[in-house]
Amino acid sequence: MKLAETDARLKVAAQEKIHVELLEDQLEKMRNELSGGSVNEEHIQEMANIVSSAQLDLVNSFSQELDLLRAENMSLKDELKVLKAELSNIKETDQRLQMLEEDRSSMESSLKKLEYKLVASHDDVSKISSLKSEYKTLYEKVEDLQKLLDKATKQADQAILVLQQNQELRKKVDRLEESLGEADAYRLSSEKMQHYNELMQQKMKLLDERLQRSDEEIHSYVQSYQDSMKEFQDTLNTLKQESKKRAEDEPMNDKPREFWSRLLLLIDGWSLEKKISVDEAKLFREMIRNRDESICSAYMLSKQKNEGEIIATFLKLTSPTTSEKLHVIHIAAEMAPVAKVGGLGDVVSGLGKALQKNGHLVEIILPKYDCMNYELIPDLKALDVPIESYFDGRLFKNKVWVGTVEGLPVYFIEPHHPGKFFWRGQFYGEQDDFKRFSFFSRAALELLLQAGKKPDIIHCHDWQTSFVAPLYWDLYVPKGLNSARICFTCHNFEYQGSAPASELASCGLDVYHLNRPDRMQDNSANDRVNPVKGAIVFSNIVTTVSPSYAQEVQTAEAGRGLHATLNSHSKKFVGILNGIDTDAWNPATDPFLKVQYNWNDIEAKADNKQALRRRLGMSSSNTKLPLIACITRLVPQKGVHLIRHALYRTLELGGQFVLLGSSPVPQIQREFEDIANNFKTHEDARLILKYDEALSHLIYAASDMLIIPSIFEPCGLTQMIAMRYGSIPIARKTGGLNDSVFDVDDDAVPVQYRNGFTFLKADEKAFNNALERALHHYNNYGDDWKQLVQKVMNIDFSWESSASLYEELYQKSVSRARRSANQN
Ligand code: ADP
């Protein structure tokens, strides 16, 4: 209302303003007339005075009115603001009211539900009370029954007592009957017995005489033995005296001091030139200090030899003289066939079995995965005592299971950690792999400590158990688990398990002490630790799985950032080609084959080829059609692009192609699934994208050739398995493939070693060349091909020779440690 009022007043003021403006106009007009001289001046002045006084009054009142209005307007605006604020408050209150209304209605509905429940619970209560009375009557019945049972038990006890008394009586009767029978028999035969006694006495007399004679003989033997012992002692004494005299004539200590100095300088020179390791140099220096006879004779013996030969003679001093039996413990994340992802699993069981066959005591420690093949451990049982191990500042219990796998004793560790570390349905690929496996490594060492084991060798494998090396030296040697040398085998330098340095602390390792460039610090990031590097630094023996790969990883291109570390530890680093388990991979006994066969009877191989073709729904009309296979993990390392290319090229060249593989990389898996779909009904190609152990056996047996076009390959087992089954490898010359496949057409290789087709560059052109040559041989030289198949089936890829190389490394390391322990 007030606003309307002021509006009206403003309008009035505006009209008055117009009125004033009109007066001003009039004044102006008059002024103009004046200047034109048309009006009398006095009149004008008079008029002007009248107008200006009226005007002045009007203006004054008008401006007063305006000021008033302005003030009023301002106060109104303020009031408006206040009103607006109140209005918004009212709105909020409205909203709150609405919410409260909603709450009220939801509470009403919950109240209703509760009421229903109350009604239901009333029902339950009445049921419970009826159950209670039922229970009471039942209880009374049970009590009655119990009384009856007690009574029956007492009666049964009495019956048992009577029965026992009866049995005893029966026994007594039986004995009496027996003695009665005996007495009868005795009476009947007493005459015969008398005669028999006489005969016996005669015999005994004869025996006495013989005994006396042999006593005399023994006595004379003893006498002559004593005589010869005396003679031996005399000779020994004379020899001792002679040797003492000789020693006095030419004592070691009397060798000129220059001799020992020269020897020392020789050793230092070799050490500086890195021809012998620091440990070996230390050992030789000790021998020189002790004026050791053997080093002196080694030096005298090698006078005419070149330096290489002299070093070899000296190094023999460090190797054990006798091959003693060792206690070897493998700590690993895989073991075939119970927990296998790739080659590592095969190595742990293959090497373990071969060492066991050679008389060593071999034990394996594995995580107890939920996804293991438990059918293959029928004697698996849990031990009563849990092993407690440290992690993240606390102690956790581990249940320890034992069982045999492939005849080897295996300990399975089941951590009772809330992270359920090995209950993930898969072996690897979890976000907390670093945590899971560092926990396992520590628990494994704890098991050895608490079981009081004194192994000679602890052999850990790949990054998952590489923590064992630093844990052993930093934490477990001080606790008394100190009998072992540590051997670390890296099966693939692609996987190093590096992680933020702080994560190392979980398993109790000292981050500050280990995150250093010469210890565990990752070579490409100083805030990360690299478990594989740690194992290289902290192990006594470091191996990888083929000599060629060992050389490759010492270069910047293939070393995956560890080449410098490997170079500075090269003295203890060696490549040993894996073997294969020739019992598990044996075409003569393989239960997965349609027809078993051996090198002498390779015609049966064709039956397996037909069986596979039928099983996979491929054309089997032309038995001669070459079948080319590939069995692999589909990862970039394996040359995925060349595998894909091989499929198309084989079909172009008139062959058949089978791929068995699966990929942990979703993109690759999808890509191959698409290809597999395209060839689903093709009569000459099939892609089976899964892991299938049984099918892999049949494919090895059925195929004529197996392709392994790897970009890099630490060792590779498929080429060896293929050869054992008479399938000729077509492989890229890299790593272990370079050490096991030698080209049929390579004149630089002795004929007896040629066993496959190889190519160097990882491109389609180079691959085509090898594939085409292989098919040419297959299609045109049938007899030669057969001979080649028989030859490769006879190559010995067993673990025996590889295991003996490991044995030699173990022995050397153990005896070196013992020597230095004795000398200290
Ligand atoms: P890696 O260890 O790099 O995978 P290897 O050649 O050293 O390669 O070992 C591969 C092992 O895994 C062989 O025993 C091979 O037969 C087996 N293998 C690979 N892929 C499959 C598959 N899809 N199904 C069955 N066995 C497979």
Side-chain angles (χ1 to χ4, degrees), residues 27 71 74 93 125 291 309 359 361 411 446 532 612 779 814:
L27 193 66
M74 287 301 284
T93 330
V125 168
R291 302 290 189 254
E309 288 166 336
L361 173 61
Y411 294 84
E446 197 62 49
V532 169
L612 179 76
N779 290 327
V814 166

Side-chain angles (χ1 to χ4, degrees), residues 340-344 346 491-492 495 578 585 631-635 637-638 660-662 688-697 700 708 713-719 721:
K340 173 180 160 180
V341 175
L344 163 63
D346 292 317
H491 299 253
N492 191 337
Y495 308 104
N578 286 337
W585 297 109
I631 301 175
T632 187
R633 285 184 298 125
L634 288 166
V635 288
Q637 172 203 333
K638 301 290 180 182
L660 173 63
S662 61
I688 306 105
L689 302 178
K690 61 174 179 178
Y691 187 94
D692 188 334
E693 183 78 27
L695 183 59
S696 77
H697 285 243
Y700 283 120
I708 318 109
E713 191 57 78
C715 174
L717 298 177
T718 56
Q719 77 278 16
I721 303 171

Side-chain angles (χ1 to χ4, degrees), residues 566-582:
L566 287 167
N567 275 314
S568 54
H569 292 273
S570 62
K571 282 278 179 294
K572 62 180 178 187
F573 180 49
V574 62
I576 298 177
L577 194 70
N578 286 337
I580 56 169
D581 185 339
T582 44

Side-chain angles (χ1 to χ4, degrees), residues 281-495:
K282 196 173 157 205
L283 193 69
F284 292 145
R285 275 189 216 106
E286 277 303 312
M287 292 170 102
I288 293 169
R289 196 157 62 102
N290 296 331
R291 302 290 189 254
D292 191 296
E293 202 177 329
S294 56
I295 198 164
C296 172
S297 352
Y299 183 67
M300 303 301 255
L301 277 172
S302 53
K303 268 193 174 152
Q304 303 300 321
K305 297 180 179 165
N306 64 33
E307 190 186 47
E309 288 166 336
I310 302 175
I311 293 175
T313 317
F314 270 63
L315 287 177
K316 275 196 193 132
L317 298 174
T318 63
S319 49
T321 43
T322 53
S323 162
E324 62 169 312
K325 300 303 170 199
L326 300 171
H327 183 184
V328 183
I329 295 181
H330 289 271
I331 303 177
E334 287 183 43
M335 179 188 188
V338 289
K340 173 180 160 180
V341 175
L344 163 63
D346 292 317
V347 173
V348 172
S349 39
L351 174 61
K353 271 161 73 174
L355 289 170
Q356 193 188 46
K357 260 188 212 157
N358 287 355
H360 303 287
L361 173 61
V362 182
E363 292 175 296
I364 320 278
I365 307 181
L366 289 182
K368 187 174 176 288
Y369 300 101
D370 56 346
C371 51
M372 274 194 311
N373 200 342
Y374 282 97
E375 282 161 26
L376 302 176
I377 332 166
D379 58 349
L380 182 72
K381 69 169 183 45
L383 298 184
D384 270 348
V385 195
I387 296 291
E388 281 197 327
S389 66
Y390 171 93
F391 205 70
D392 274 337
R394 278 180 57 194
L395 286 177
F396 291 95
K397 285 199 168 62
N398 295 280
K399 195 169 188 174
V400 179
W401 298 73
V402 289
T404 49
V405 176
E406 299 278 293
L408 287 163
V410 185
Y411 294 84
F412 299 91
I413 293 183
E414 180 191 334
H416 284 193
H417 184 283
K420 293 203 171 288
F421 286 147
F422 301 110
W423 287 87
R424 308 287 180 87
Q426 61 174 358
F427 298 105
Y428 309 127
E430 294 287 303
Q431 274 204 327
D432 56 351
D433 276 357
F434 190 96
K435 247 181 198 293
R436 298 160 69 215
F437 288 104
S438 57
F439 181 101
F440 167 67
S441 299
R442 174 131 194 193
L445 286 174
E446 197 62 49
L447 170 65
L448 299 185
L449 177 73
Q450 291 185 29
K453 288 186 186 283
K454 292 276 169 203
D456 299 301
I457 295 288
I458 297 177
H459 195 151
C460 48
H461 300 261
D462 276 351
W463 79 261
Q464 287 86 357
T465 57
S466 62
F467 303 96
V468 164
L471 279 169
Y472 176 78
W473 295 110
D474 283 1
L475 301 177
Y476 282 86
V477 166
K479 288 182 186 202
L481 176 66
N482 56 6
S483 57
R485 302 271 94 191
I486 305 292
C487 178
F488 169 66
T489 297
C490 185
H491 299 253
N492 191 337
F493 281 92
E494 170 112 319
Y495 308 104

Side-chain angles (χ1 to χ4, degrees), residues 489-491 493 542-555 558 566 570 573-579 713-716 719-720 733-742 797 799 801-802 805-806 809:
T489 297
C490 185
H491 299 253
F493 281 92
V542 181
T543 75
T544 190
V545 288
S546 70
S548 287
Y549 187 57
Q551 279 185 352
E552 286 165 16
V553 290
Q554 288 183 73
T555 65
L566 287 167
S570 62
F573 180 49
V574 62
I576 298 177
L577 194 70
N578 286 337
E713 191 57 78
C715 174
Q719 77 278 16
M720 298 189 225
K733 279 172 84 65
T734 177
L737 298 171
N738 191 41
D739 297 329
S740 54
V741 185
F742 306 100
F797 285 117
W799 263 103
S801 54
S802 309
L805 294 174
Y806 274 102
L809 285 179

